[in-house]
Amino acid sequence: VKKYRKMLKMGIPPPAVRHCMIKEEAPSQVTVAVFGEDEAEKKEKKPVDQILSENEIEMVKKYRKMLKMGIPPPAVRHCMIKEEAPSQVTVAVFGEDEAEKKEKKPVDQILSENEIEMVKKYRKM
């Protein structure tokens, strides 16, 4: 524990210290002692890949590869919408925060009654 705390004190980033702990196969109690309970709980979360089906895992790999190749996230999101990817895949690719941003209020809640009447004729187009 002293070794890892000293590394943190010297200014080594926490992810690098955690990597060193994993590489040296330090027990989880040491991780809790160095980083605290919150860090241990984050580590113990189930990976999204365990929740997804085989087909969904393949979809996640495809979209992550698109992002890795430099395709902008909005374009990847558009592709996901076009291919009707499940919401679990969106969360796996972009994270939970991105999935929450995607949820917007319906237009009817934003517009006034006069504006809704004006918009109705364009909805048919």
Side-chain angles (χ1 to χ4, degrees):
V1 176
K2 289 181 183 180
K3 173 184 175 181
Y4 302 118
R5 285 188 179 161
K6 185 176 180 182
M7 290 171 73
L8 290 171
K9 190 175 181 181
M10 290 174 53
I12 297 174
V17 175
R18 179 172 283 108
H19 176 73
C20 184
M21 295 171 87
I22 292 169
K23 187 173 83 175
E24 295 175 358
E25 298 177 357
S28 61
Q29 293 88 358
V30 174
T31 306
V32 171
V34 174
F35 293 108
E37 288 291 324
D38 295 333
E39 295 295 325
E41 289 175 8
K42 287 180 186 177
K43 185 179 177 184
E44 292 176 5
K45 283 186 177 178
K46 281 188 173 181
V48 179
D49 295 343
Q50 291 180 357
I51 300 169
L52 302 175
S53 68
E54 296 281 331
N55 187 28
E56 291 172 339
I57 291 172
E58 291 301 317
M59 293 174 81
V60 169
K61 287 179 183 177
K62 172 186 171 184
Y63 297 125
R64 284 183 180 164
K65 184 176 181 181
M66 291 171 70
L67 289 170
K68 190 176 180 181
M69 291 174 58
I71 297 175
V76 174
R77 184 178 302 282
H78 176 74
C79 185
M80 294 173 82
I81 292 169
K82 186 175 79 174
E83 295 176 1
E84 298 177 357
S87 61
Q88 299 94 333
V89 175
T90 306
V91 170
V93 174
F94 294 107
E96 292 182 39
D97 296 335
E98 293 292 327
E100 290 173 6
K101 287 181 186 177
K102 184 179 172 184
E103 296 175 11
K104 295 181 180 178
K105 289 183 179 179
V107 176
D108 296 341
Q109 292 180 354
I110 299 171
L111 301 176
S112 67
E113 290 181 27
N114 293 336
E115 293 171 326
I116 291 172
E117 291 298 320
M118 195 183 329
V119 171
K120 280 185 181 178
K121 63 182 176 183
Y122 296 108
R123 286 189 179 164
K124 294 179 183 178
M125 293 182 168

